[in-house]
Amino acid sequence: MEDELQITLTNDYAFKRLLGSEENKPLLQDFLECILDLTPQQVLDLEFMDKELTKEEFSDKTGILDVKLKLTNGTVIDIEIQALWNASFVKRTLFYWAKMYTADFKAGKSYDKLHRCIAINIIADGFRLNDAIHSEYLLQEKTAHTVLTDVLEIHFLDLHAAKRAKEEGKGAGKRGQLINWLRFIGAANKKERAMIATKSPVLQMLNEKIDVLTLSPTERKLYESRMKLKSDIATISETQFSAGVERGKSLGLAEGEARGKSLGLAEGEARGSRQKALETARNLLVIGLSIENIAKATGLTVQEVETLNQ
């Protein structure tokens, strides 16, 4: 008998499959209400959009968003799931936000036609900006902290911080609902996910959909390749981290531990991530996935994937 596939929503493919579909739009609406403190009327009739960011020139960097949608008032929202935090992620989310903000703007239009854009980033592991469960960044005046405009809004949701909060009894209201959502997304196995789902009818519904989710052989291979890549990167990083710490200690340097951490993480992530990304890209080319989607799944550039396909 084939082993049961353990679905986790920290896998971006599973996240898009379940929360980026018309069928499950009411579930996504509930999630947005909790994150953005909106009423049901404000997220009613939200519209899913093309997730590929446009390029003005052939040489421009492209990008494919996890879930992109538009509210009835014109606000555009991008929801991204990130398994492992890295130093370039802030710049990446600003790049995606900038592309969204100008995507439909044509020469001759009034600047008043530019719509508010919100980037929502769900971080599974390693978030380093602060210790908050939910962080919201706006454009503000440096001293008075007055908001310049609401067109730019970037959110970070830390799944590890939400998991720590489960013992604190932070229950009622949308904050409590959001914590349950984040704990559900970060659940590592079916049993844990089912326990958290009892906190909400919406999560119970989503849990049932996960339990009956059937993946085709091609979809299953894509899902498992993403999980393998993330596990390998995490393992390599941890191994190199430990090796770096030990190297620093053996040299007897006062700053040995700090330097060891830096060397270990840099060497491990750079070597391991690159090699596994290339290996995964080759596998995905074999099963016929598009070059653009392979670039999104592996972090390689479109040009790098095209080279593998030659």
Side-chain angles (χ1 to χ4, degrees):
M1 181 181 295
E2 189 175 19
D3 292 338
E4 180 182 4
L5 181 64
Q6 290 287 343
I7 301 291
T8 170
L9 291 181
T10 57
N11 180 288
D12 55 0
Y13 179 73
F15 186 88
K16 285 182 281 189
R17 173 79 182 270
L18 286 155
L19 289 173
S21 67
E22 289 287 339
E23 175 189 0
N24 296 330
K25 187 185 289 185
L27 308 180
L28 182 61
Q29 288 174 328
D30 183 86
F31 189 35
L32 287 174
E33 288 176 35
C34 296
I35 298 171
L36 303 176
D37 194 21
L38 299 175
T39 65
Q41 291 72 28
Q42 289 174 302
V43 295
L44 192 64
D45 297 326
L46 62 83
E47 171 192 351
F48 286 110
M49 303 177 68
D50 182 5
K51 295 185 283 293
E52 183 166 356
L53 297 170
T54 57
K55 297 193 293 185
E56 296 178 5
E57 301 290 344
F58 181 77
S59 60
D60 285 355
K61 184 174 177 61
T62 188
I64 301 175
L65 309 177
D66 284 351
V67 178
K68 183 182 178 184
L69 51 100
K70 181 187 289 186
L71 303 183
T72 52
N73 66 2
T75 298
V76 179
I77 301 173
D78 162 40
I79 305 175
E80 295 284 312
I81 184 83
Q82 179 78 2
L84 187 64
W85 178 265
N86 61 66
S88 65
F89 192 76
V90 170
K91 291 182 178 179
R92 175 189 165 191
T93 195
L94 285 169
F95 169 80
Y96 280 5
W97 176 90
K99 285 284 188 178
M100 284 196 301
Y101 187 56
T102 59
D104 299 322
F105 191 71
K106 305 297 182 184
K109 276 189 175 183
S110 167
Y111 290 113
D112 292 335
K113 300 298 183 182
L114 288 166
H115 287 295
R116 180 186 186 204
C117 291
I118 301 174
I120 297 173
N121 302 290
I122 305 168
I123 312 299
D125 192 23
F127 181 66
R128 292 190 175 92
L129 295 183
N130 55 56
D131 296 326
I133 296 171
H134 179 193
S135 307
E136 179 180 351
Y137 290 85
L138 305 168
L139 282 175
Q140 295 184 342
E141 200 282 326
K142 184 175 180 180
T143 303
H145 304 297
T146 53
V147 176
L148 175 66
T149 175
D150 68 350
V151 299
L152 171 61
E153 192 172 311
I154 296 179
H155 296 251
F156 293 100
L157 300 164
D158 185 353
L159 297 188
H160 264 301
K163 189 172 185 178
R164 291 194 300 268
K166 70 179 182 180
E167 305 296 338
E168 299 175 14
K170 296 180 179 179
K174 288 182 179 176
R175 175 176 170 80
Q177 295 170 29
L178 177 59
I179 290 174
N180 288 331
W181 257 106
L182 299 179
R183 289 174 55 209
F184 184 89
I185 292 172
N189 55 63
K190 184 175 181 178
K191 182 178 179 181
E192 180 184 359
R193 193 177 67 239
M195 179 189 70
I196 300 168
T198 62
K199 305 290 184 180
S200 160
V202 171
L203 293 180
Q204 286 180 337
M205 188 182 305
L206 179 55
N207 192 48
E208 290 171 4
K209 289 179 178 290
I210 295 175
D211 286 342
V212 300
L213 179 64
T214 302
L215 300 177
S216 69
T218 298
E219 290 172 327
R220 184 182 180 111
K221 187 170 184 179
L222 175 60
Y223 179 93
E224 291 179 330
S225 70
R226 291 290 290 145
M227 295 307 296
K228 183 177 184 297
L229 175 63
K230 291 170 182 176
S231 295
D232 288 346
I233 291 173
T235 300
I236 292 170
S237 296
E238 180 62 28
T239 300
Q240 294 292 341
F241 173 89
S242 300
V245 171
E246 290 304 314
R247 182 194 298 181
K249 288 180 178 179
S250 67
L251 292 173
L253 300 175
E255 71 278 18
E257 187 169 348
R259 180 178 297 179
K261 291 178 181 178
S262 177
L263 288 172
L265 287 173
E267 292 174 5
E269 290 184 4
R271 295 177 185 176
S273 176
R274 172 72 178 174
Q275 187 59 36
K276 293 309 300 181
L278 292 170
E279 179 184 333
T280 300
R282 292 189 185 97
N283 292 335
L284 297 181
L285 282 169
V286 171
I287 65 176
L289 195 68
S290 72
I291 288 175
E292 289 77 12
N293 281 334
I294 293 174
K296 172 63 170 65
T298 62
L300 297 172
T301 66
V302 171
Q303 289 75 16
E304 287 173 322
V305 178
E306 288 174 341
T307 300
L308 295 175
N309 199 33
Q310 294 175 354

